Amino acid sequence: MNLHRKPLPVSEAVDRVMMDKKEGRVETVPLENSDRRRLAEDMIATHAVPPFNKSPYDGFALRAEDTRHLSRENPGHFRVTETIGAGQLASHPVEKGEAVRIMTGAEIPAGADCVAMFEICQTYDDQGTSYMTLKRSMDQDQNIIGKGSETEEGTVLVEAGTRINPGVKALLATFGYPEVKVYQKPKIGVFATGTELLDVDEPLQPGKIRNSNAPMILSQIERAGAEGHFLGKLVDDFDACFEAVSRSLHDYDFLITTGGVSVGDYDLMPDIYEKLGARVLFNKVAMRPGSVTTVAELDGQLLYGLSGNPSACYVGFELFTYPIIQRLLGNFKPYHTRIKATLGEDFPKPNPFTRFVRGKIHYEEGRVMVSPAGMDKSNVVTSLAHTDAFLVLPGGTRGFEKGDAVEAILLEDQGGQKYFEEG
Ligand SMILES: Nc1nc2c(c(=O)[nH]1)N[C@H]1C(S)=C(S)[C@@H](COP(=O)(O)OP(=O)(O)OC[C@H]3O[C@@H](n4cnc5c(N)ncnc54)[C@H](O)[C@@H]3O)O[C@H]1N2
Ligand code: MOO
Ligand SMILES: [Mg+2]
């Protein structure tokens, strides 16, 4: 067992993971199942919007020319030739002295070049013919939504890599995409190692704890937009762990194990990487928690050895697994958004290494505040339930006070950023 590991700066460890050259795969999914997926191609307007000149109001379509000089004292009388609702077309062009009763969304009839709202018109019948009276002049194009006034055919509206949200879905429907090309969700296998682990539905037993890391990681995978597969718990037995890991390795884009990466007698992952012939990218990172996070590579496959300690495991995933998932999803901003925030509580502990305190964002008089989400220990699970950010405290600092300017990494923000430390 090598007890002397060289800690790598966090950003360097992130870079090593992101050297992985795997490309995202593309698949076609029905529009209705496309929420939160990422577009694999730019979305281009397949036609102008609106595709025809249309009325924004319920009213009368007529010729502006016929309304010139109209006033309260000099009203104009127009023969109403027909009525058209949205989806209906006028049967003939509007001629001099005529008006078409038109509803919101209907195509402007040929000949007409303005719409007068019902509210400014009076109507009457005379010998079986309908008329409309108008007491003011109208401008050409007044109350007409012009063809292509929103967007022209061929415009790139949403770039590949964008996450599909309700608005993107509206566009896909507008432009006639019953199916959409999206990036496939990376498939990630998850093992939980540790003889002490019980299943969620088992009663507690002396010396044992329930496996909380696997459900947590699967949920982190889901939140990141990928597909997690729980491959089971493994007792701390070298042959069993080696066999399970080597068997599953090639069925997934990445394999995550939790536990067994430190220097204990039953921390088997380092020896498993060695026997597999995997290249260890790093096995110690200058950070807290998650310093023991290990990533190895075998035949172009990344093996994540996340810590067994729940908080360390959580942090290791968000720093090193999340961005590579985003890359495979075509997200051109693969890193979590990092912002400047105000510390909401004193944090007196010194920070020999960069500390990623599990934090919670709130807003106070327009300021973004971040406070620790609970106990700040690697082995703690309870604070994770309140975590939506990491408070980043640089290595070599000490004694942060309420009100200090700090950085926060947002875990639930969809914006993202291109570079790890941009912010
Ligand atoms: N002599 C040293 N001891 C330790 C060091 C060190 O540098 N020298 N590093 C410490 C740090 S830092 C961490 S973090 C932990 C990492 O431990 P491992 O990744 O090897 O994980 P385990 O030993 O398997 O378990 C640690 C802890 O986590 C619990 N655990 C494990 N799996 C789960 C799970 N699926 N769900 C919930 N909890 C889990 C386990 O029971 C242990 O309590 O090592 C320190 N030691
Ligand atoms: O890897 Mo440990 O999480 O620094 O506590
Ligand atoms: Mg251990």
Side-chain angles (χ1 to χ4, degrees):
M1 175 66 63
N2 178 10
L3 293 177
H4 302 286
R5 301 180 182 177
K6 189 177 172 329
L8 206 62
V10 181
S11 59
E12 216 168 294
V14 170
D15 286 348
R16 285 195 190 177
V17 166
M18 294 300 270
M19 295 283 277
D20 182 80
K21 284 288 167 276
K22 203 175 267 179
E23 293 278 318
R25 295 176 301 267
V26 171
E27 64 179 346
T28 303
V29 297
L31 177 63
E32 62 265 30
N33 299 341
S34 66
D35 287 282
R36 293 179 289 280
R37 304 297 298 273
R38 286 189 182 268
L39 291 174
E41 53 189 11
D42 290 349
M43 202 184 29
I44 294 166
T46 53
H47 57 72
V49 177
F52 49 83
N53 290 339
K54 70 173 171 183
S55 175
Y57 296 125
D58 304 315
F60 290 96
L62 66 167
R63 296 160 19 117
E65 195 187 332
D66 297 350
T67 69
R68 225 179 285 152
H69 312 306
L70 296 189
S71 66
R72 199 183 291 268
E73 296 72 33
N74 179 32
H77 299 270
F78 296 85
R79 193 168 68 82
V80 179
T81 54
E82 59 186 312
T83 299
I84 52 169
Q88 297 174 334
L89 297 176
S91 55
H92 36 257
V94 174
E95 307 278 357
K96 187 172 169 54
E98 291 180 349
V100 164
R101 198 174 162 87
I102 191 168
M103 304 306 139
T104 305
E107 178 165 354
I108 304 292
D113 58 7
C114 67
V115 171
M117 294 168 76
F118 280 157
E119 288 86 336
I120 62 164
C121 303
Q122 284 82 46
T123 54
Y124 62 93
D125 279 347
D126 187 17
Q127 296 175 9
T129 303
S130 298
Y131 289 91
M132 178 276 277
T133 313
L134 184 64
K135 293 178 178 164
R136 65 176 83 163
S137 65
M138 304 283 301
D139 295 329
Q140 221 178 1
D141 296 331
Q142 191 174 343
N143 297 340
I144 288 184
I145 307 175
K147 175 179 175 180
S149 58
E150 182 176 335
T151 192
E152 296 287 355
E153 181 176 342
T155 310
V156 176
L157 296 171
V158 187
E159 278 180 65
T162 303
R163 193 167 182 261
I164 298 178
N165 63 21
V168 173
K169 256 183 129 171
L171 288 191
L172 289 164
T174 297
F175 295 111
Y177 290 87
E179 295 182 320
V180 53
K181 278 192 182 152
V182 295
Y183 283 98
Q184 255 180 37
K185 296 181 179 192
K187 290 187 178 49
I188 304 177
V190 178
F191 282 113
T193 75
T195 303
E196 74 279 28
L197 299 179
L198 299 168
D199 285 329
V200 179
D201 57 359
E202 287 186 274
L204 275 187
Q205 294 166 28
K208 306 237 175 183
I209 57 164
R210 292 191 189 94
N211 164 25
S212 60
N213 287 354
M216 175 184 81
I217 296 168
L218 291 166
S219 179
Q220 289 178 288
I221 291 172
E222 160 83 30
R223 180 168 70 180
E227 189 179 294
H229 296 262
F230 182 49
L231 305 177
K233 292 183 290 141
L234 299 170
V235 293
D236 296 317
D237 171 82
F238 186 87
D239 292 335
C241 288
F242 180 80
E243 200 272 325
V245 168
S246 45
R247 177 166 32 87
S248 312
L249 194 56
H250 297 288
D251 297 340
Y252 299 93
D253 288 299
F254 314 112
L255 208 59
I256 295 179
T257 57
T258 163
V261 279
S262 185
V263 295
D265 293 351
Y266 301 100
D267 290 336
L268 303 170
M269 296 316 299
D271 292 342
I272 287 174
Y273 298 138
E274 192 176 329
K275 183 165 174 189
L276 283 169
R279 183 171 61 95
V280 174
L281 306 185
F282 53 87
N283 57 14
K284 188 112 188 154
V285 188
M287 66 183 215
R288 286 282 186 281
S291 61
V292 297
T293 308
T294 301
V295 180
E297 180 266 330
L298 182 64
D299 305 333
Q301 191 87 344
L302 290 184
L303 303 171
Y304 282 88
L306 300 182
S307 167
N309 272 331
S311 287
C313 181
Y314 186 101
V315 171
F317 178 94
E318 297 298 341
L319 292 182
F320 305 114
T321 321
Y322 175 88
I324 194 95
I325 291 175
Q326 299 313 305
R327 252 255 307 277
L328 287 196
L329 287 172
N331 184 354
F332 45 90
K333 292 179 169 176
Y335 301 101
H336 282 305
T337 309
R338 198 185 273 243
I339 59 162
K340 303 264 186 289
T342 306
L343 188 58
E345 274 174 34
D346 289 350
F347 192 90
K349 269 204 255 184
N351 309 297
F353 300 102
T354 307
R355 199 187 284 283
F356 296 90
V357 183
R358 279 68 64 215
K360 175 114 201 91
I361 296 285
H362 71 282
Y363 304 93
E364 228 173 80
E365 292 167 5
R367 278 188 310 170
V368 185
M369 313 290 292
V370 60
S371 301
M375 278 174 76
D376 182 67
K377 290 252 189 258
S378 172
N379 56 318
V380 155
V381 67
T382 47
S383 58
L384 296 174
H386 308 287
T387 295
D388 58 16
F390 295 148
L391 214 167
V392 189
L393 303 178
T397 58
R398 58 161 54 240
F400 281 84
E401 289 179 2
K402 182 177 175 171
D404 283 352
V406 289
E407 284 197 323
I409 289 179
L410 306 182
L411 303 178
E412 300 199 346
D413 180 83
Q414 294 305 325
Q417 55 189 46
K418 272 191 179 160
Y419 305 101
F420 177 64
E421 281 182 334
E422 180 184 296

